[in-house]
Amino acid sequence: MTATGPLSQAIRVLVVEDDPVAADAHQLYVGRVPGFAVAGVAHSRGEASRLLERTDIDLILLDLYLPDGHGLQLLRGLRAGGHQADVIAVTSARDLAVVREGVSLGVVQYVLKPFTFATLRDRLVRYAEFRAAAGEASGQDEVDRALGALRSPHPASLPKGLSAPTLEAVTRTLRASADGLTAAEAGIKTGISRITARRYLEHLVSNGRAERSPQYGQIGRPELQYRWISATR
């Protein structure tokens, strides 16, 4: 694998992702964050294990669903072999039992697909701050600050007029529709007006979680059809 960026002082990252398009996107994203460089890309658990045997890696961007085994199986093997690389799970997995197991194995961050460059950049910058903390803590406050670098200080705020429960309802409805929905259809399914539904759908589009395209009928202006983006592009 050809690494991007200078590796001498950068945090060396291994991208483990079975989807070639997503792997390319993750590699591109990492390369755009100062202080990080991609040292390798693996598309399977076995390929990742072989690469880790011959390459010094500081951080693994780990997809959990791999064609030859679960990502946590790879991580358990690494820990049993004494490998101390930190891990950011980049995955669509939302099972909190999996999240808890990952934390116990040393997963320091979770990034849910689909996500934007800004989301991953934020996680990488916070990880770099955490990694840069050195020396002996003077007390509990300093320990808390070091650990707090890994966590966002506040939940991402919504635009004025949008509520988290309604956004969750619209998101759930859109994800359940394989063929997508118009704003009118989303409104009917969630019990809100078409105009309100469109505001939430447009918010999902602006955050890279949904896409829209015109749907042409027999007469009149085309309607916008919204679809959930199931993987990082």
Side-chain angles (χ1 to χ4, degrees), residues 101-179:
E101 183 178 1
V103 170
S104 72
L105 291 169
V107 174
V108 297
Q109 291 269 18
Y110 273 83
V111 180
L112 292 180
K113 299 177 181 177
F115 58 88
T116 63
F117 166 65
T119 297
L120 183 59
R121 178 185 58 196
D122 175 74
R123 300 305 191 277
L124 291 177
V125 169
R126 291 183 179 280
Y127 169 74
E129 292 173 355
F130 168 73
R131 184 182 173 89
E136 184 173 348
S138 60
Q140 183 68 51
D141 289 346
E142 194 165 341
V143 171
D144 291 343
R145 282 195 297 272
L147 293 175
L150 291 172
R151 304 288 178 256
S152 297
H154 303 288
S157 59
L158 293 174
K160 185 177 180 180
L162 301 190
S163 72
T166 303
L167 178 60
E168 175 62 26
V170 173
T171 298
R172 185 169 56 248
T173 300
L174 185 62
R175 291 187 66 193
S177 177
D179 297 326

Side-chain angles (χ1 to χ4, degrees), residues 174 177 179-187 194-195 197-203 205-206 210-217 219-228:
L174 185 62
S177 177
D179 297 326
L181 295 168
T182 64
E185 291 169 339
R194 177 185 64 83
I195 294 175
R198 182 172 181 179
R199 289 191 64 201
Y200 283 92
L201 291 167
E202 287 294 327
H203 175 73
V205 170
S206 67
E211 61 185 0
R212 62 173 178 262
S213 59
Q215 181 186 51
Y216 295 94
I219 58 174
R221 298 176 60 185
E223 288 188 276
L224 290 176
Q225 186 87 355
Y226 296 86
R227 291 181 177 83
W228 182 259

Side-chain angles (χ1 to χ4, degrees), residues 43-107:
H43 301 291
S44 68
R45 176 186 168 192
E47 188 179 355
S49 296
R50 291 189 294 271
L51 196 151
L52 283 161
E53 289 176 357
R54 64 177 188 270
T55 307
D56 290 331
I57 297 295
D58 301 310
L59 177 66
I60 304 171
L61 291 189
L62 180 63
D63 182 24
L64 296 187
Y65 296 127
L66 300 171
D68 54 349
H70 198 279
L72 293 186
Q73 292 177 316
L74 169 66
L75 186 50
R76 280 194 291 269
L78 292 178
R79 296 302 183 238
H83 204 296
Q84 299 301 312
D86 291 318
V87 176
I88 295 178
V90 180
T91 178
S92 58
R94 287 168 168 78
D95 186 340
L96 291 180
V98 174
V99 172
R100 287 194 296 271
E101 183 178 1
V103 170
S104 72
L105 291 169
V107 174

